[in-house]
Amino acid sequence: MKKIVITRNINPDIVDKLRKDFEVSVWEEDQKPMPREKFLEETKDAHAVLSMLSDKVDEEFLSNAPELKVVANLAVGFDNIDLDAARRHEVVITNTPDVLTETTAELAFTLMLVSARKVLAANKELMEGGWSGWSPYHMAGTDVFGKTVGIFGMGSIGAAFARRLAGFRSNILYHNRSESGAADDLGAKLVSFDELLSESDFVLCAAPLTEETKHKFDAEAFGKMKDTAHFINIGRGAHVVEDDLAEAVRTGVIAGAALDVFENEPIGADHQFVGLDNMTLLPHIGSASVATRNNMMNLCVNNIMEVLNGGRPITPVG
Ligand code: NAP
């Protein structure tokens, strides 16, 4: 029987689809990623791996698993995977595009509104008994309606985010390497990275993490943004130089930041962002609705079954 390793405790009903025809090994500790040593040990005779973005799919792992045919990554991003090494080892890599687009765009939109209207600070004040009464500028934030919104990475999620701006009469700018097919319908304008930064009241990062986009948001980039602007990141933490962002928020170079992702996850209460005013921080929950997570798991399982049964992967990468 071919062996499939699943590196997190996923929906057992979805795993059951595999058990009839395959030997399945599931890492059942919730919250904690499979330790690297266990990952290497467990996968050395595996034919397929259902991986998480916390698992490094690299040369060491691939050369240690000679039977491996497919790695199905439970994410649309695949910056945890060495695609060249996978090609050399003739291992198919799949991801989960589209099924998480709307859910992640909703979270990005939530972050923008929460940051603009100081929702978390206001909630905290009330919960801690610090609300002393109404006053004209108490917790006064900034409007989103009618503002300029800049999207770095106008792909599936960027476009879904832009569609949600329709009711806000926003001026939409974006920066990609090439023109987006969706941009015309959305009334969005392709601009340089610098123009995106200097013109936008809200800047959303929704690009994949690559050598080109790594640390793109540094002190220079934040320095080009308006001091009233908010930065929102649902891409990957390493798009940002975190020391520079902390400094920019602390010193008022920008008005606020709302982040779902961090360079080294998970972060703890000792992280430099924690406790900073005008910072909204979420524990990487962009695609975390139950329905979407189930759809992502199903897509991974279907990709694995296709490849191991001699068919074509549904959503291959590369
Ligand atoms: P996608 O459809 O592939 O879109 C990516 C967009 O980024 C494309 O429009 C691409 O346009 C642009 N891009 C790529 N390289 C660029 C560069 N160097 N400079 C400027 N733009 C660039 O991907 P998606 O499904 O929207 O997902 C985007 C990313 O969001 C994922 O890779 C993942 O890291 C992140 N994500 C996070 C969560 C979360 O939980 N927070 C959930 C889902 C996804 P060009 O090719 O024309 O440049």
Side-chain angles (χ1 to χ4, degrees):
M1 243 187 184
K2 288 179 179 159
K3 178 180 177 184
I4 301 170
V5 174
I6 302 178
T7 69
R8 279 294 173 97
N9 201 6
I10 68 167
N11 186 326
D13 293 338
I14 296 173
V15 178
D16 277 349
K17 291 206 296 189
L18 296 167
R19 290 201 191 275
K20 191 161 60 71
D21 299 313
F22 302 99
E23 176 195 341
V24 183
S25 151
V26 182
W27 174 249
E28 293 197 331
E29 270 195 49
D30 260 345
Q31 303 289 332
K32 286 210 181 98
M34 191 185 237
R36 177 73 177 180
E37 260 174 43
K38 177 82 180 158
F39 179 57
L40 293 177
E41 177 61 28
E42 199 59 38
T43 54
K44 68 182 184 205
D45 54 351
H47 298 79
V49 172
L50 198 164
S51 62
M52 310 296 134
L53 48 85
S54 44
D55 301 315
K56 262 209 159 349
V57 174
D58 55 7
E59 178 59 42
E60 181 192 31
F61 156 74
L62 290 160
S63 55
N64 188 58
E67 306 294 334
L68 195 64
K69 296 283 174 284
V70 54
V71 173
N73 207 38
L74 190 86
V76 65
F78 43 84
D79 42 281
N80 57 316
I81 296 176
D82 181 341
L83 289 184
D84 290 336
R87 227 169 274 125
R88 281 197 302 278
H89 289 272
E90 296 180 8
V91 171
V92 174
I93 305 295
T94 69
N95 66 345
T96 61
D98 304 332
V99 291
L100 47 58
T101 295
E102 301 300 333
T103 304
T104 310
E106 269 178 20
L107 200 275
F109 217 86
T110 306
L111 284 173
M112 178 174 64
L113 293 174
V114 163
S115 192
R117 295 297 302 275
K118 303 179 186 281
V119 170
L120 292 192
N123 176 257
K124 184 163 178 276
E125 181 190 85
L126 184 149
M127 295 293 237
E128 291 176 354
W131 184 24
S132 54
W134 191 93
S135 72
Y137 289 118
H138 177 226
M139 291 290 170
T142 181
D143 292 311
V144 175
F145 186 87
K147 294 286 173 61
T148 296
V149 180
I151 300 171
F152 178 69
M154 177 73 100
S156 304
I157 296 168
F161 178 86
R163 280 197 300 279
R164 284 162 172 74
L165 289 169
F168 286 73
R169 299 216 191 131
S170 308
N171 173 32
I172 307 173
L173 308 177
Y174 73 98
H175 179 71
N176 275 8
R177 290 164 306 175
S178 54
E179 208 159 332
S180 150
D184 275 353
D185 291 343
L186 294 165
K189 183 177 161 208
L190 178 64
V191 294
S192 68
F193 185 56
D194 280 1
E195 203 176 336
L196 187 93
L197 296 171
S198 61
E199 294 299 315
S200 302
D201 299 299
F202 297 91
V203 174
L204 169 71
C205 173
L209 180 64
T210 63
E211 280 310 309
E212 229 180 324
T213 62
K214 189 172 182 186
H215 293 162
K216 188 88 177 162
F217 291 90
D218 57 7
E220 196 186 337
F222 295 122
K224 287 175 181 161
M225 287 173 63
K226 299 179 187 179
D227 60 6
T228 51
H230 292 245
F231 173 70
I232 299 123
N233 190 11
I234 61 86
R236 288 285 181 264
H239 281 123
V240 172
V241 178
E242 292 188 340
D243 286 348
D244 293 358
L245 177 56
E247 183 69 5
V249 170
R250 202 182 291 118
T251 58
V253 169
I254 63 172
L259 314 171
D260 184 44
V261 284
F262 305 89
E263 182 143 22
N264 295 305
E265 297 178 358
I267 65 166
D270 56 348
H271 192 278
Q272 61 179 333
F273 290 160
V274 175
L276 280 184
D277 281 348
N278 307 331
M279 272 275 188
T280 301
L281 309 174
L282 294 181
H284 202 150
I285 57 168
S287 64
S289 75
V290 174
T292 290
R293 286 286 159 84
N294 284 340
N295 288 337
M296 292 164 68
M297 291 169 196
N298 270 314
L299 182 52
C300 287
V301 162
N302 292 341
N303 268 309
I304 287 173
M305 289 198 297
E306 279 298 329
V307 174
L308 293 190
N309 290 329
R312 294 162 77 88
I314 305 156
T315 50
V317 170

